[in-house]
Amino acid sequence: MRILVGILVGGRATRFGGIAKGLLPAPDSGEPLVGRLARLCREAVGAEVVLVGRAASYEALGLPLLEDEPSGIGPLGGLSSLVSEAMHRGSAAIAVAGDLPYVTSELVARVAAFAPEAAAVAPRPGGTWQPLFARYDPGPCLPVIQAALADGVFKARAVLERLGDRAVELALDSAEASLLVDWDSPEDVSRRR
């Protein structure tokens, strides 16, 4: 299965004073979070990696860029752009939030390989879908994304919810679930895992 990984970096990072969170140093390697995620995704599945969103701050990393489509609506705009590009390329898509400092290549490989027949695969810790660490098959997912946008539903997890039983849960133990902790505020960075 060919895979296009999209690292979503379109947030405004208002709690960080506008600093691009994906450029913060990763706790294990010191490289920018987004650079670390791109490297891990390439190691895990040999995927091409693109940045998705308002990514001008990330140009020095040399990764291809995709704009959100539509822009200004949050992560669903990025997911729409990524899944549309994957459809164009004839590949599956993996969406990864750009503020995940603890994700491992093993976890990326699991989401890539788990339930290959599923329309989408994502963890669901505590009963809440994690749409920004998930694999999407563009064929069944793109129409669902487009319908959500047409309905004015802009929550990314709505795609997984609308897929019903075509979305498959990637069960995680507590140690694996802790790898999906994100950095939403400066306190998260200082707290570390």
Side-chain angles (χ1 to χ4, degrees), residues 129-142:
W129 286 111
Q130 298 297 310
L132 300 186
F133 187 79
R135 187 188 79 231
Y136 298 90
D137 179 342
C141 291
L142 191 56

Side-chain angles (χ1 to χ4, degrees), residues 66-173:
L66 289 177
E67 295 288 328
D68 289 353
E69 187 55 48
S71 64
I73 63 162
L76 188 58
L79 188 57
S80 172
S81 180
L82 172 63
V83 173
S84 180
E85 181 66 18
M87 174 78 92
H88 175 74
R89 294 178 185 216
S91 64
I94 294 180
V96 179
D99 61 354
L100 297 175
Y102 307 114
V103 166
T104 63
S105 58
E106 293 80 13
L107 195 56
V108 173
R110 280 196 60 211
V111 79
F114 190 76
E117 73 291 343
V121 172
R124 199 175 185 180
T128 302
W129 286 111
Q130 298 297 310
L132 300 186
F133 187 79
R135 187 188 79 231
Y136 298 90
D137 179 342
C141 291
L142 191 56
V144 173
I145 292 168
Q146 292 168 336
L149 291 170
D151 293 344
V153 176
F154 301 137
K155 295 239 181 249
R157 79 172 144 256
V159 175
L160 296 164
E161 293 165 351
R162 286 174 172 224
L163 283 167
D165 61 6
R166 295 182 295 161
V168 174
E169 178 181 354
L170 176 67
L172 303 179
D173 63 28

Side-chain angles (χ1 to χ4, degrees), residues 16 19-26 30-34 183 189:
F16 279 88
I19 295 170
K21 292 189 289 182
L23 295 177
L24 293 171
E31 63 195 304
L33 288 182
V34 166
W183 282 353
V189 177

